[in-house]
Amino acid sequence: MTYKLDPLPYDSAALEPHIDKETMEIHHGKHHQGYVNNLNKALEENADAASKSLEDLMANISKYNTAIRNNGGGHYNHRLFWNILTDKSTSPSADLQKAIDEKFGGMDGLKEKLSQAGATRFGSGWAWLIVKDGALEVTSTPNQDNPLMDVAEVQGTPILGIDVWEHAYYLKYQNKRPDYLNAVWNVINWEEVSKNYDAAK
Ligand code: MN
C-alpha cells in the first residue's frame, strides 16, 4: 500500500481571511506531504502494516511503531481536516442538527465545547467531534493521535477534527490559538460533517 497526497478540494486562498493562503500551502504541501512520505517509508519496512488499511492501522496502532503512529495519524487527520473545511456556506443535515441540539443545546454550545477542547490541549494535537456508541462527543488527542486509535483516552469515529498544532495557525494568529479556533468555525463544511455523521452513527 502506497499512500499519496490528494490535492486540496478548493483553492489554497479559498479560506481567506480565516485561514491564509501561505499557511494552507505550507500545511498541505509540506507538512501533510511529509506525513505521507514518512508513512510510506515506515511501511516499506513493515510488510504486515503495509497490507492493512489505514483504518485498521489506527484501530490497532498499539501494535505498531512510533513512525506509523505519528505519520499514519498525520495522514488520516489531515485528509479529514481538508475535507471538513470549505469556503461555501453550508448547514448540518436535520439529523445532525437535532443531535447537536440535544447534546450541546445548539451550535453555540458545540462551538464552545470544541473551542475549549482545542484551547486546552497542551502543546500539539487535535480537537474532535466524534460519534461514540451512536452519540456525539467532543474530545481531544495529543500529537497526531486520533480517536480511532486503540491508545486514545476517548475512542470513537471522528466526524470533524480541528488541527491545533502551531503550524495550522502561527503565521496569521501567532500565539492566539483561541482566535484561530474562532475563525476556523466560519469555514466548516457542515455538508461533509453530516455525511461523516451518517456513516458513523
Ligand atoms: Mn497539521
Side-chain angles (χ1 to χ4, degrees):
M1 173 88 72
T2 303
Y3 292 94
K4 64 174 185 50
L5 181 66
D6 288 330
L8 286 171
Y10 33 72
D11 189 84
S12 56
L15 307 181
E16 290 199 349
H18 309 291
I19 305 178
D20 60 286
K21 182 177 196 274
E22 192 182 7
T23 294
M24 289 301 288
E25 284 176 354
I26 297 170
H27 197 176
H28 177 261
K30 305 289 181 195
H31 291 280
H32 190 177
Q33 183 72 66
Y35 297 122
V36 170
N37 294 349
N38 289 324
L39 174 60
N40 287 331
K41 210 175 293 170
L43 293 180
E44 275 171 26
E45 293 155 13
N46 189 325
D48 167 57
S51 71
K52 301 280 171 28
S53 71
L54 191 55
E55 285 73 12
D56 273 350
L57 289 178
M58 300 294 102
N60 299 287
I61 204 68
S62 59
K63 291 198 251 167
Y64 299 104
N65 64 27
T66 311
I68 294 177
R69 178 171 171 175
N70 289 343
N71 296 293
H75 179 44
Y76 179 91
N77 297 347
H78 288 85
R79 198 177 58 179
L80 176 79
F81 186 53
W82 309 133
N83 283 320
I84 59 91
L85 299 177
T86 185
D87 57 326
K88 291 184 303 180
S89 174
T90 59
S91 309
S93 64
D95 224 22
L96 177 58
Q97 183 68 58
K98 184 164 171 270
I100 290 171
D101 290 347
E102 281 169 7
K103 178 78 185 191
F104 305 104
M107 270 301 197
D108 288 349
L110 170 60
K111 180 185 177 187
E112 195 184 319
K113 265 265 176 179
L114 254 182
S115 298
Q116 189 189 27
T120 56
R121 166 52 56 193
F122 183 76
S124 298
W126 290 75
W128 303 100
L129 178 62
I130 65 171
V131 175
K132 179 183 167 67
D133 305 323
L136 293 177
E137 193 161 327
V138 166
T139 184
S140 79
T141 54
N143 305 314
Q144 293 299 353
D145 286 0
N146 64 52
L148 288 181
M149 291 183 175
D150 61 355
V151 295
E153 228 170 280
V154 181
Q155 288 172 44
T157 306
I159 64 171
L160 187 172
I162 300 177
D163 191 341
V164 298
W165 282 59
E166 284 186 346
H167 69 222
Y169 62 86
Y170 211 84
L171 289 180
K172 184 175 169 77
Y173 296 97
Q174 294 84 45
N175 59 316
K176 299 182 285 287
R177 190 190 285 182
D179 289 0
Y180 156 72
L181 287 165
N182 216 29
V184 83
W185 196 253
N186 297 310
V187 289
I188 302 290
N189 188 337
W190 290 106
E191 279 172 23
E192 210 52 43
V193 178
S194 299
K195 275 189 220 158
N196 294 341
Y197 177 62
D198 286 342
K201 73 182 166 132

